[in-house]
Amino acid sequence: SMSLREHALSLFRSAVDTVRPAPMLKRAVKLQGDGCPQLLVKGQAFPVKRDLYLVGFGKAVLGMAAAAEEILGEHLVRGIINVPLGIQESLQQAGMQEMLLKPDSKIQVIEGAKNNLPDPEALKGAVAIQELAEGLTVDDLLLVLISGGGSALLPAPIPPILLKEKEKLTKMLASRGAAIQELNIVRKTLSLLKGGGLARLAYPARVVSLILSDVIGDPLDIIASGPTAASSHSVQDCLQILAKYNLLHHLPKSVETVLSSSPTKPTALEDYSHVCNIIIGSNTLALDEAKRQAEGLGYATLILSAAICGEVGRVATLYCQLIRLVCLGFAGLGEGTLSDEVRGNLLQLAAELEIPGLNLAEFLQALRGLGPERPVCILAGGETTVQLQGTGKGGRNQELALRVGLGLHRVQAVETSSPLGRCEIVFLSGGTDGQDGPTEAAGAFCSPELVDEALQEGLGVEAFLSNNDSYTFFSQFQGGHHLLVTGLTGTNVMDIQAILIRAT
């Protein structure tokens, strides 16, 4: 029988595989018919009347484009994609040929945005995409591929604003404490292609966007700054933000010119009737696949949320309390003062974390019915945040796993005959892009036993955590057996967590 760790690994892999560019595109997109061919996207039909063009930008777009070109065949006339600097070489070295374009591809690849920041190369790519879009006619079809990281790859300030002026303004806002949402609103307002700009330029051609979401809740106008989605913000919003940070009187002349001549209302929704935005990959889709696999392995499986967010220590506490509740249920103590106390803690934590769309009361109700005869699997996804205090190596997933392990160890230490001791528990957290912080790991597995063992060997787990050094802990302990190492995956739908519990 496979260990819980092997099960957790196979669930993580199946979740990632389902949002890898090639399988994801092949599931979502078909080309049908010869006379007047049709592009079928998730059951919607788009006639290919004349020419089919492709543009794309984002970290996973190279693999998406390779798969799209295979599906579209000779119907594809021309394409331009903007991808991160060095990605072709990285994929080549990782032996991921299927993510690379063929030598005779009709798609031009431009690499830019070094360190995920807009640069002259990214601007060159954005201008090429802009020119392609502007030249389209009513009978053309434009396929747009979008993934996370697309924002830095599509910098095209509205003339006469220069890229460096826009950058300087963004930096000034950031240094005065503007939130990322506020920065994005200002960037979008000063950009030709963001906030629906690309879709407007492509008019009257039909625009079909295939989107791989790396943002909680999959908001179309936020992913890669929404180049094909109607923006929910106006110039007024931008001016309000600039006023809030006392920047209205420190603007470059060019920015003043653009802001004073821009229409004050957001573009009307009917101006987007030629556009269809379709999410073909997301954290939710990945979790659904993991759930199917877990049920196939015999687990009673529940998905907590695809929108887990908040400080990593708080999220770890939430997971520890959930695990306690399952173990209490297994021990026949699901209806008692301790369980009620744990439920109360959970509801309070969830309220403080403000996880979008999480109905914890309903989730806890579903947990109540689970008995010890079947092992339990709880799946979740999203993106936690880490407040860096130390100088160690690690990432949010490795730190989350270690914190959950430590939290469970502490519960066991306090409760005399703890029901946790009668359960086998594995917690896994991993980044779906195969990277977690500046390490080669995607995340880590942890269990209360691992922490017990480390403490017996005199390894101070708290010290590693306070130095944000989870990677060093996992790599020097048990030969790094608990690190999750997948290599680059070529996709990204944030992080995935799996909790596996069985009664011993």
Side-chain angles (χ1 to χ4, degrees):
S1 78
M2 284 165 80
S3 68
L4 290 191
R5 184 180 172 281
E6 287 165 326
H7 279 171
L9 178 61
S10 96
L11 296 180
F12 181 79
R13 294 209 166 185
S14 65
V16 171
D17 284 344
T18 198
V19 291
R20 279 187 195 261
M24 183 176 69
L25 264 123
K26 285 175 185 151
R27 252 199 336 269
V29 183
K30 312 252 181 298
L31 196 65
Q32 217 185 36
D34 297 322
C36 177
Q38 284 189 322
L39 188 66
L40 291 179
V41 185
K42 281 202 162 178
Q44 297 187 61
F46 304 96
V48 182
K49 295 181 191 146
R50 204 180 94 175
D51 290 338
L52 185 55
Y53 293 89
L54 178 151
V55 297
F57 26 88
K59 294 180 179 175
V61 157
L62 190 62
M64 288 167 79
E69 187 161 35
E70 213 168 288
I71 296 164
L72 303 173
E74 67 272 20
H75 291 287
L76 179 65
V77 178
R78 178 171 170 236
I80 301 171
I81 58 171
N82 236 6
V83 295
L85 190 68
I87 192 161
Q88 293 178 98
E89 198 185 335
S90 304
L91 291 169
Q92 190 92 50
Q93 282 171 354
M96 296 171 75
Q97 290 326 104
E98 76 281 5
M99 298 267 185
L100 296 167
L101 296 170
K102 305 276 185 286
D104 59 349
S105 171
K106 291 179 189 158
I107 300 171
Q108 177 193 358
V109 181
I110 296 169
E111 292 193 358
K114 189 179 178 188
N115 302 328
N116 206 19
L117 294 168
D119 58 11
E121 286 309 303
L123 180 60
K124 200 174 85 183
V127 170
I129 287 173
Q130 175 196 337
E131 286 169 353
L132 186 149
E134 286 173 334
L136 301 177
T137 71
V138 70
D139 287 333
D140 292 323
L141 183 60
L142 179 65
L143 196 59
V144 184
L145 307 176
I146 300 176
S147 78
S151 197
L153 288 160
L154 209 60
I158 299 170
I161 302 174
L162 301 172
L163 184 59
K164 57 174 191 279
E165 292 177 317
K166 189 170 139 186
E167 285 306 281
K168 191 176 163 201
L169 180 59
T170 314
K171 282 203 181 93
M172 277 161 72
L173 274 167
S175 71
R176 294 182 182 206
I180 182 74
Q181 290 83 348
E182 294 176 314
L183 292 175
N184 282 340
I185 291 170
V186 172
R187 271 191 209 133
K188 277 201 301 200
T189 312
L190 303 177
S191 171
L192 261 182
L193 300 174
K194 294 175 181 156
L198 177 62
R200 292 196 299 275
L201 290 176
Y203 182 86
R206 193 76 227 236
V207 177
V208 180
S209 281
L210 307 181
I211 301 165
L212 175 65
S213 169
D214 69 333
V215 182
I216 283 179
D218 310 332
L220 291 173
D221 63 331
I222 305 288
I223 304 163
S225 301
T228 58
S231 173
S232 43
H233 303 290
S234 66
V235 171
Q236 265 356 86
D237 298 317
C238 178
L239 291 168
Q240 259 169 353
I241 292 163
L242 293 170
K244 176 178 166 184
Y245 296 101
N246 297 321
L247 285 172
L248 276 181
H249 305 296
H250 307 281
L251 297 176
K253 200 94 209 92
S254 58
V255 174
E256 279 183 8
T257 308
V258 166
L259 288 175
S260 60
S261 62
S262 297
T264 48
K265 284 192 190 57
T267 315
L269 278 170
E270 56 268 20
D271 292 349
Y272 291 89
S273 57
H274 64 300
V275 183
C276 187
N277 288 304
I278 302 168
I279 294 200
I280 62 167
S282 66
N283 192 278
T284 303
L285 287 164
L287 290 176
D288 288 344
E289 179 58 28
K291 178 174 195 263
R292 250 178 31 131
Q293 300 284 340
E295 284 170 345
L297 290 168
Y299 287 85
T301 310
L302 293 171
I303 294 178
L304 177 65
S305 163
I308 298 292
C309 53
E311 199 275 313
V312 66
R314 313 293 301 275
V315 174
T317 307
L318 180 81
Y319 285 140
C320 287
Q321 299 291 337
L322 268 179
I323 292 165
R324 276 184 80 187
L325 197 55
V326 174
C327 295
L328 284 164
F330 276 5
L333 303 168
E335 304 304 324
T337 42
L338 189 52
S339 281
D340 289 342
E341 185 192 320
V342 173
R343 274 191 204 96
N345 293 346
L346 277 166
L347 290 164
Q348 192 184 339
L349 260 174
E352 287 167 20
L353 282 166
E354 293 183 347
I355 292 161
L358 172 60
N359 185 340
L360 190 65
E362 198 177 294
F363 182 84
L364 295 178
Q365 198 49 50
L367 264 188
R368 269 192 154 111
L370 304 179
E373 53 286 340
R374 281 171 75 198
V376 168
C377 169
I378 297 173
L379 297 164
E383 203 156 90
T384 56
T385 44
V386 174
Q387 301 290 322
L388 284 177
Q389 278 144 352
T391 54
K393 270 178 89 170
R396 56 181 185 261
N397 290 291
Q398 294 163 70
E399 181 153 329
L400 178 60
L402 190 51
R403 283 182 183 279
V404 170
L406 180 63
L408 294 173
H409 162 83
R410 283 180 178 155
V411 170
Q412 268 176 336
V414 180
E415 290 178 4
T416 35
S417 59
S418 168
L420 286 178
R422 298 203 287 280
C423 288
E424 192 188 345
I425 302 159
V426 163
F427 177 85
L428 163 69
S429 187
T432 54
D433 58 357
Q435 294 170 308
D436 185 38
T439 71
E440 90 279 7
F445 303 85
C446 205
S447 63
E449 291 76 43
L450 183 73
V451 172
D452 300 344
E453 208 180 306
L455 293 169
Q456 277 163 17
E457 289 187 22
L459 281 177
V461 178
E462 274 106 338
F464 282 100
L465 282 170
S466 58
N467 192 30
N468 298 117
D469 205 12
S470 50
Y471 174 77
T472 306
F473 170 85
F474 284 118
S475 53
Q476 71 180 24
F477 192 60
Q478 288 198 354
H481 177 66
H482 288 81
L483 285 170
L484 169 68
V485 181
T486 61
L488 263 187
T489 63
T491 189
N492 181 17
V493 294
M494 303 181 289
D495 304 334
I496 283 176
Q497 282 98 42
I499 300 170
L500 304 187
I501 306 170
R502 65 178 165 209
T504 48

